[in-house]
Amino acid sequence: MKRNCAIVIMLLFCQLFLLGNDNDKVQLTAPHVSSKYLDCDSAKTAPNCTHFTSKYKAQNKERTDKNASHLQYPDTCFLDKYTPCPTAVEVLDKRTRDSKQYVNKDSVSKFYVVKSSEAIHYLKNGQWLTIDERLEPQKNKRFEADRQEEPVGFDVQRQLAYIKTIRGTVFFNNWMLFGKTNGHRQLLAMPDWSDNTVGDDGLRVTNLFPGIDAEMKVGRGSIKTSFIIHKNNYAGAEQLIFADKFQQDTTNGAFDVGNNISTIDECNYRVNNADALHISPATVYEVRDVKNTTINLPYSLSADTLFLSVAVSYLNSRLVNGSVVIDPLVTATNTLALAAITGSMDCGSFSNSCNYVLQVPSPAAATITGISFKFGFQTVGIATVKDGTWGIKSGNCEVYYGADPNSSRYNGPGSVSTLDAYSDITSDLIGCMPTATCTSQNIPFTLKFFNDICSGTSTCTNNYIKAEEPFIILLEGHTVELSSISSAVTICNGDSVTLSALVKYGILPYIYSWSDGGNISSITVAPSTSTTYLLAITDQCGNAASGNVVVTVKNSSASTTMETACNSYTWNETTYTSSGTYTVHFTNSVGCDSTATLELMVLSQCPEIVVPPLFSPNADGINDLLEIENLSIYKGSIVEIYDRYGKRVARYSGTSPGWDGYYLGHPEPSCDYWYLITLPESGKRLTGHFSLKR
């Protein structure tokens, strides 16, 4: 079992299944009724009592674009537990006290609606801010969960817990330990908070008193304190008395008992004659056997002090089996009054439950595609985790959650919750979602909440199983959406292509409007130049979606080559031996059909190659190049020029205009030079010399 810093044995279980009362169990084969296992991967496996998680993230473009008028909004970068997924961006203008709306940054038609049974926002300076029960470090060793209507926290330096109620701030948990023997009471120990750890969920003090730890869990407007007694160091006392004096800095408060001591199971603490805090019933139990050892522990009250007494004989008899726990709960009365889930049905069943209807707004023209929820309960008094069950119903579809009655894991008190994760129930309820209409509609979801404890009348109470978290429904849906559209395509000039689009969601029939005038889902186009085709789609409710397709047009190519050759000419892997015009068809580099033409003259006798004896590269326009006559006819011929020292000063193909008398950009001097002409087709090599004169 896991220990929570405020609920001593808090069972955050995720293996849940259907259970019922006696003969009133739901038949799993009934249509639209199912059981469900909570997703273990999405639920916390242990509470955080040692560190503080990040509460803010950097702004991103999608969030600022959707909330351009709220860039200074305090919640613009706040990380809350209601965000459906990483791609969801909240639209801050849509907030209400108990709802949020999001859009998907990757798909403008996809939306999310979060609706809660309780407030998820509180109003501050005219703005709806997200409620967050997590503690944050403050100055001077203070830790506070201030993002709520009635903040709670700890002043470690003063060794006090506090709740900032609407009536004023009340300090408490300044416990002192007394012993009572033969009717006389004496102080045994003062509290010592020096050995403490603090995290998001609360504070734990080791050895608040010798042998006794304290765990304090913060909730919405509440602090649940649990004393964990490991050892009785006060054997001489007949009773141990835990005394807590409630106090205020600037206001007057008292328990409503005057100056006389009164004994009571639960009570209210009043500030300026108005209820400010409610103290729920306390219990004491042995950790290893909660069901059989739990007893109620009434309070004794004076004007400003609350007393809890436990017999030492009881402690000694239980401590031989392990630790003993005492756990009172203090909640702001205004927070209690605002709670919509006021209890579970005692001695309840699937057909006899406390029912709470949550109306979830679905946007106009929306098709619901996903349903998830959050909820959690807490045991009270003699109840164990196994005693609680809840169901969720919409229309004729319903799903139930409960603890495995055959598992000893759930034999103790604790809490059951989806925590920060949504639990998906789409497959269970999607069949009962209404069809989309052009107007917004409320979809009812009913929370059915009951417990198995039959100690009195069957009625809705918080005596055994009480809601610990709001009942929250998350709807995911879509308005009209372009499901797919043709990919960008390349065609050749003169060709045509069919462009098509697939649309889903929204209200049929759809109206298509292509930029070329087409008004159906598919069009055939044959542009002469590259074109972007735009598509606008409108459903019968006036909602729109859009897309585009780029059609790139490539041109064909045609070329003509004129050649003269001796005896034969090889072109495009074909050898031609006679003069004529030859054409080949091929696909060019951009994929279009093209042509190439060869105009060929084949000489039956090859002319002599003539190298001039002299040339004068002096830029007078006469003999400025060494032009070798008839060389271009010999395909693949190569010319090399050498000076009188044997250094090669030029090399070029036989189709080049000729040598200009330069080497590496510098003019060669007047002198005799030697040439070497290589004819690859015949294998011949011609040599000789000529003069360069400047």
Side-chain angles (χ1 to χ4, degrees):
M1 291 188 288
K2 302 290 185 181
R3 272 199 164 175
N4 186 316
C5 56
I7 303 173
V8 179
I9 308 297
M10 183 178 187
L11 298 176
L12 305 175
F13 68 88
C14 48
Q15 293 181 342
L16 302 180
F17 76 107
L18 190 64
L19 62 97
N21 240 8
D22 301 328
N23 298 321
D24 205 15
K25 293 184 178 180
V26 170
Q27 298 297 314
L28 295 183
T29 56
H32 307 302
V33 179
S34 67
S35 62
K36 200 78 173 177
Y37 285 87
L38 286 181
D39 183 359
C40 294
D41 292 334
S42 64
K44 288 183 179 177
T45 57
N48 169 21
C49 306
T50 59
H51 64 280
F52 300 96
T53 55
S54 175
K55 296 176 175 60
Y56 294 90
K57 63 180 176 181
Q59 289 192 12
N60 56 55
K61 184 179 186 301
E62 292 82 9
R63 191 172 180 88
T64 54
D65 285 350
K66 296 298 181 184
N67 300 283
S69 61
H70 293 78
L71 297 186
Q72 303 304 316
Y73 204 92
D75 272 10
T76 301
C77 300
F78 186 71
L79 289 168
D80 65 49
K81 61 185 178 182
Y82 306 106
T83 303
C85 62
T87 56
V89 178
E90 186 182 1
V91 183
L92 297 175
D93 279 338
K94 299 290 187 179
R95 283 186 174 182
T96 69
R97 178 179 178 273
D98 55 11
S99 69
K100 291 175 176 282
Q101 290 192 31
Y102 302 79
V103 294
N104 191 289
K105 71 180 183 66
D106 298 327
S107 175
V108 295
S109 68
K110 190 173 183 178
F111 66 86
Y112 312 88
V113 175
V114 173
K115 178 73 172 183
S116 173
S117 62
E118 322 289 339
I120 56 178
H121 298 115
Y122 66 104
L123 198 60
K124 184 177 181 180
N125 299 326
Q127 297 174 317
W128 287 114
L129 304 183
T130 303
I131 293 174
D132 183 21
E133 297 91 349
R134 291 176 293 177
L135 288 170
E136 287 187 279
Q138 310 288 325
K139 295 180 180 179
N140 301 321
K141 295 185 179 180
R142 287 178 57 249
F143 303 89
E144 185 170 297
D146 61 352
R147 293 182 61 93
Q148 53 185 309
E149 292 172 326
E150 296 184 294
V152 303
F154 303 102
D155 187 334
V156 174
Q157 189 167 288
R158 296 175 61 186
Q159 300 191 152
L160 293 171
Y162 60 86
I163 298 179
K164 294 181 176 179
T165 76
I166 61 172
R167 312 294 180 193
T169 301
V170 181
F171 295 88
F172 56 96
N173 272 9
N174 186 24
W175 296 90
M176 295 182 290
L177 182 62
F178 292 88
K180 190 173 184 180
T181 305
N182 297 324
H184 298 289
R185 187 175 67 185
Q186 62 178 357
L187 180 64
L188 299 178
M190 295 294 291
D192 180 3
W193 286 36
S194 60
D195 188 359
N196 69 80
T197 60
V198 190
D200 283 344
D201 301 330
L203 176 145
R204 178 185 175 107
V205 180
T206 301
N207 283 323
L208 176 73
F209 306 114
I212 302 175
D213 299 340
E215 293 179 325
M216 309 173 204
K217 180 184 181 297
V218 296
R220 185 174 299 190
S222 69
I223 296 178
K224 183 174 178 62
T225 302
S226 295
F227 297 108
I228 308 101
I229 305 172
H230 303 293
K231 181 181 180 181
N232 178 17
N233 290 314
Y234 312 100
E238 296 173 356
Q239 285 186 316
L240 294 185
I241 302 173
F242 297 83
D244 187 12
K245 184 175 182 179
F246 286 57
Q247 55 189 290
Q248 301 80 48
D249 284 341
T250 59
T251 55
N252 296 318
F255 292 104
D256 192 17
V257 295
N259 292 319
N260 298 317
I261 293 200
S262 175
T263 300
I264 195 168
D265 288 334
E266 55 186 319
C267 58
N268 288 340
Y269 184 81
R270 299 170 65 83
V271 174
N272 293 330
N273 297 317
D275 289 341
L277 298 177
H278 178 76
I279 293 83
S280 299
T283 57
V284 58
Y285 54 85
E286 179 187 316
V287 170
R288 294 189 180 183
D289 188 10
V290 178
K291 192 75 171 180
N292 296 314
T293 62
T294 298
I295 60 173
N296 289 329
L297 205 61
Y299 301 107
S300 295
L301 303 174
S302 66
D304 59 2
T305 304
L306 177 147
F307 302 92
L308 277 171
S309 300
V310 59
V312 170
S313 59
Y314 171 87
L315 285 179
N316 291 338
S317 66
R318 298 304 176 187
L319 285 171
V320 296
N321 297 318
S323 299
V324 173
V325 175
I326 302 173
D327 60 353
L329 170 66
V330 179
T331 307
T333 54
N334 183 62
T335 299
L336 284 174
L338 295 175
I341 302 174
T342 55
S344 63
M345 180 67 72
D346 297 342
C347 200
S349 65
F350 294 106
S351 60
N352 180 32
S353 58
C354 297
N355 297 334
Y356 304 94
V357 180
L358 188 63
Q359 298 285 352
V360 184
S362 174
T367 300
I368 303 303
T369 57
I371 311 162
S372 301
F373 81 96
K374 290 185 178 185
F375 182 61
F377 70 70
Q378 175 184 345
T379 62
V380 180
I382 64 172
T384 67
V385 169
K386 288 182 180 180
D387 295 318
T389 302
W390 76 80
I392 301 172
K393 181 177 181 179
S394 186
N396 292 323
C397 302
E398 54 191 308
V399 58
Y400 287 86
Y401 291 85
D404 185 349
N406 298 314
S407 173
S408 61
R409 181 182 179 189
Y410 311 123
N411 286 338
S415 296
V416 177
S417 174
T418 57
L419 293 174
D420 292 338
Y422 286 100
S423 185
D424 186 7
I425 50 175
T426 303
S427 61
D428 304 290
L429 303 186
I430 195 68
C432 294
M433 292 299 98
T435 56
T437 66
C438 287
T439 58
S440 176
Q441 52 187 325
N442 286 328
I443 304 176
F445 292 85
T446 301
L447 175 70
K448 305 181 72 174
F449 195 22
F450 62 91
N451 67 74
D452 295 337
I453 298 179
C454 300
S455 61
T457 59
S458 183
T459 184
C460 294
T461 74
N462 281 323
N463 292 338
Y464 305 110
I465 301 292
K466 61 178 293 185
E468 185 178 38
E469 293 188 11
F471 174 46
I472 296 174
I473 288 291
L474 165 64
L475 292 183
E476 175 187 314
H478 301 255
T479 53
V480 63
E481 181 176 294
L482 184 62
S483 176
S484 64
I485 192 169
S486 296
S487 301
V489 63
T490 298
I491 64 172
C492 296
N493 200 342
D495 291 345
S496 63
V497 64
T498 298
L499 309 180
S500 60
L502 181 63
V503 184
K504 60 182 179 180
Y505 307 126
I507 308 296
L508 295 169
Y510 305 122
I511 299 173
Y512 298 86
S513 178
W514 291 90
S515 54
D516 77 329
N519 59 4
I520 57 177
S521 61
S522 297
I523 59 172
T524 300
V525 296
S528 58
T529 60
S530 297
T531 305
T532 299
Y533 290 88
L534 306 178
L535 171 63
I537 302 157
T538 307
D539 72 354
Q540 289 303 296
C541 300
N543 292 318
S546 62
N548 66 80
V549 185
V550 177
V551 178
T552 302
V553 178
K554 298 292 185 179
N555 292 315
S556 301
S557 60
S559 63
T560 300
T561 302
M562 301 179 68
E563 295 286 352
T564 300
C566 295
N567 300 319
S568 66
Y569 185 80
T570 300
W571 179 62
N572 196 38
E573 300 182 355
T574 301
T575 300
Y576 300 91
T577 59
S578 59
S579 300
T581 300
Y582 303 97
T583 301
V584 294
H585 299 271
F586 62 96
T587 301
N588 66 11
S589 60
V590 296
C592 296
D593 292 338
S594 301
T595 61
T597 300
L598 171 66
E599 294 183 359
L600 177 64
M601 178 181 289
V602 178
L603 303 176
S604 58
Q605 184 175 357
C606 295
E608 182 183 359
I609 295 172
V610 179
V611 179
L614 174 73
F615 85 110
S616 55
N618 52 14
D620 61 358
I622 301 173
N623 293 326
D624 285 335
L625 296 174
L626 178 66
E627 297 178 343
I628 302 175
E629 188 176 346
N630 298 324
L631 183 61
S632 62
I633 296 175
Y634 294 85
K635 189 174 182 181
S637 58
I638 298 296
V639 179
E640 296 176 86
I641 309 296
Y642 295 87
D643 65 12
R644 61 178 179 171
Y645 301 107
K647 181 178 72 176
R648 191 173 70 185
V649 295
R651 186 179 188 277
Y652 56 93
S653 70
T655 57
S656 297
W659 184 41
D660 60 2
Y662 279 74
Y663 174 63
L664 298 179
H666 300 284
E668 285 292 292
S670 297
C671 194
D672 287 343
Y673 291 84
W674 279 256
Y675 63 82
L676 171 63
I677 300 174
T678 303
L679 306 175
E681 288 189 329
S682 64
K684 292 182 179 181
R685 304 181 76 183
L686 307 178
T687 60
H689 66 89
F690 61 90
S691 297
L692 183 155
K693 185 176 181 180
R694 293 190 182 277

